[in-house]
């Protein structure tokens, strides 16, 4: 009987200058030879056991079950087409064909990954993709617009939408959405996988101590309550800053009595024990879930020296005595 091809060559797609290989295996009850040809009539080099130009046939003659391989090195666009393996024995021949595609349209080799970032964060790079292909490759970033069911250019904060890296000068909640990049050359274009940018908001301060007036030497507490965005990937933190915009540390008479978190909320207490005249001034509570994603609220602490407090108390008692004396003589 004629040879039976039990391992047929499969279609192959390669980029320019890559190697394409076709495998062929036939069963035969007699001496078996292999040959390769192209259906488009283009001639292949003579069968040889060594590389001729960019072609390699191994082996050219086989018995029984040896696989025959056609390798095309440094594949070029002109090599694209159908390649047929022909197995022959004394009884006849049989053939099987496969397609070689030399793809010149870009290929995405690095797709963008989903990210979560804080609102108002200054970024150097947020999304990136990379493509390979023939000739110069251009890039274009797009965001999906639900209202129009189409892909459009990102906001004005995206400063380089025509490069492999998508950079935002500052990111806002409006930049949240689904993005992809389009890589193109003279032969066509290809889209990357979609990647979602999630933007979470800065914390919210919903309560802070009213301005306090105190005498030196007393115990004073400033309180601050804040809540975090549930989508935030960083925990909520609260710091205190004094009138010189210097962070207040728990040292000396400054005590961070509480910095308690419940769910997405935090309650912070800054205690002065005792309060000093040098503590007089404006204080700022800063709640943040990222160094560039924060909320601030201010309050004032007025500290009077002991002498002034004593004078005020003496004045009050003198005033009370005068009222009593006037009442007695009335």
């Amino acid at each position: 009987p004629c040879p039976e091809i039990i391992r047929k060559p499969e279609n192959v797609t390669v980029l320019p200058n890559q190697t394409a290989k076709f495998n062929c295996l036939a069963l035969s009850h007699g001496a078996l030879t292999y040959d390769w040809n192209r259906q488009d009539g283009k001639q292949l080099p003579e069968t040889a056991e060594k590389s001729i130009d960019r072609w390699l046939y191994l082996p050219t003659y086989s018995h029984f079950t040896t696989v025959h391989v056609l390798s095309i090195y440094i594949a070029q666009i002109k090599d694209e087409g159908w390649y047929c393996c022909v197995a022959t024995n004394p009884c006849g021949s049989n053939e099987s064909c496969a397609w070689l595609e030399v793809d010149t349209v870009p290929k995405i080799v690095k797709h963008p990954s989903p990210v979560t970032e804080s609102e108002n964060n200054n970024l150097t790079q947020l999304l990136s993709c990379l493509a390979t292909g023939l000739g110069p490759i251009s890039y274009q970033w797009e965001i999906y617009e639900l209202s129009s069911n189409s892909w459009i250019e990102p906001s004005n904060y995206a400063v380089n939408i025509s490069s492999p890296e998508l950079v935002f000068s500052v990111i806002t909640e409006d930049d949240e959405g689904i993005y992809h990049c389009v890589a193109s050359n003279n032969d066509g274009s290809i889209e990357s996988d979609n990647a979602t940018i999630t933007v979470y908001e800065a914390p919210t301060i919903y309560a802070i101590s009213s301005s306090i007036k105190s005498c030196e030497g007393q115990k004073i507490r400033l309180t601050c309550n804040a809540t975090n965005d549930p989508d935030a990937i960083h925990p909520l933190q609260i710091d205190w800053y004094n009138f010189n915009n210097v962070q207040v540390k728990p040292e000396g008479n400054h005590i961070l009595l509480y910095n308690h978190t419940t769910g997405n909320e935090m309650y912070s207490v800054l205690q002065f024990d005792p309060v000093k005249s040098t503590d007089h001034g404006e204080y700022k509570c800063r709640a943040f879930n990222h160094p560039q994603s924060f909320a601030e609220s201010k309050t004032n602490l007025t500290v009077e020296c002991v002498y002034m407090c004593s004078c005020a108390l003496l004045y009050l008692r003198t005033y009370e005595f005068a009222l009593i004396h006037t009442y007695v003589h009335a």
Side-chain angles (χ1 to χ4, degrees):
C2 295
E4 178 186 1
I5 298 178
I6 60 173
R7 183 175 177 181
K8 299 178 180 181
E10 298 179 349
N11 296 340
V12 176
T13 300
V14 295
L15 296 175
N17 300 323
Q18 290 185 337
T19 298
K21 289 187 177 183
F22 295 102
N23 298 317
C24 186
L25 175 61
L27 292 179
S28 175
H29 293 285
L32 177 66
T33 60
Y34 290 92
D35 197 10
W36 292 86
N37 60 49
R38 295 184 61 167
Q39 284 189 342
D40 56 12
K42 294 181 181 179
Q43 297 297 315
L44 296 180
E46 293 294 329
T47 301
E49 295 184 6
K50 62 181 181 180
S51 176
I52 300 178
D53 190 18
R54 297 179 297 108
W55 308 81
L56 181 62
Y57 306 88
L58 286 174
T60 57
Y61 179 80
S62 175
H63 295 283
F64 306 110
T65 60
T66 303
V67 177
H68 194 272
V69 181
L70 168 64
S71 297
I72 305 172
Y73 297 99
I74 317 176
Q76 301 173 9
I77 297 176
K78 65 181 181 181
D79 298 325
E80 195 170 75
W82 288 99
Y83 290 79
C84 300
C85 169
V86 181
T88 304
N89 68 9
C91 298
S93 63
N94 202 351
E95 75 172 15
S96 180
C97 302
W99 177 262
L100 170 61
E101 180 179 356
V102 182
D103 194 357
T104 57
V105 175
K107 286 285 186 295
I108 303 290
V109 294
K110 179 185 178 183
H111 293 271
S113 300
V115 294
T116 300
E117 283 294 343
S118 61
E119 190 175 23
N120 300 321
N121 190 11
N122 296 320
L123 304 170
T124 55
Q125 177 180 325
L126 197 57
L127 297 178
S128 65
C129 76
L130 183 64
T132 61
L134 191 65
I137 297 175
S138 63
Y139 295 87
Q140 180 71 30
W141 286 94
E142 297 176 331
I143 182 174
Y144 177 72
E145 185 181 60
L146 183 61
S147 60
S148 64
N149 191 28
S150 61
W151 292 90
I152 63 173
E153 289 188 359
S155 74
N156 293 332
Y157 294 115
V159 294
N160 62 338
I161 61 175
S162 300
S163 73
E165 293 81 28
L166 179 61
V167 176
F168 289 81
S169 58
V170 62
I171 191 165
T172 69
E173 193 174 5
D174 293 336
D175 298 312
E176 189 170 78
I178 301 172
Y179 292 77
H180 69 200
C181 78
V182 181
S184 306
N185 64 6
N186 292 332
D187 297 304
S189 61
I190 189 172
E191 297 175 354
S192 72
D193 292 345
N194 296 338
T196 300
I197 295 179
T198 302
V199 181
Y200 59 90
E201 297 180 359
T204 301
I205 297 176
Y206 61 89
I208 190 171
S209 298
S210 301
S211 297
I212 297 176
K213 187 174 183 179
S214 172
C215 293
E216 190 174 15
Q218 293 182 340
K219 182 190 295 184
I220 298 299
R221 291 182 180 180
L222 300 180
T223 61
C224 182
N225 298 64
T227 183
N228 201 12
D229 186 331
D231 294 328
I233 60 175
H234 299 295
L236 175 63
Q237 299 181 65
I238 292 180
D239 287 336
W240 290 90
Y241 290 82
N242 64 17
F243 38 87
N244 291 320
N245 202 33
V246 176
Q247 184 178 350
V248 180
K249 299 292 186 180
E251 57 188 16
N253 68 321
H254 301 152
I255 303 172
L256 289 175
L257 197 59
Y258 302 108
N259 219 351
H260 182 65
T261 302
T262 303
N264 293 320
E265 297 188 358
M266 176 170 281
Y267 174 67
S268 180
V269 177
L270 172 60
Q271 178 173 291
F272 301 82
D273 188 13
V275 68
K276 300 178 181 180
S277 59
T278 53
D279 297 322
H280 177 93
E282 182 180 76
Y283 285 82
K284 180 169 56 182
C285 167
R286 174 180 290 184
F288 60 96
N289 51 27
H290 186 279
Q292 293 176 307
S293 177
F294 58 87
E296 293 182 341
S297 189
K298 300 175 182 178
T299 187
N300 283 286
L301 173 60
T302 302
V303 181
E304 295 183 344
C305 67
V306 176
Y307 171 76
M308 292 180 65
C309 287
S310 300
C311 290
L313 182 59
L314 178 60
Y315 174 81
L316 178 60
R317 289 177 177 174
T318 303
Y319 178 74
E320 291 175 346
F321 176 79
L323 286 178
I324 294 173
H325 182 74
T326 302
Y327 175 78
V328 170
H329 285 275

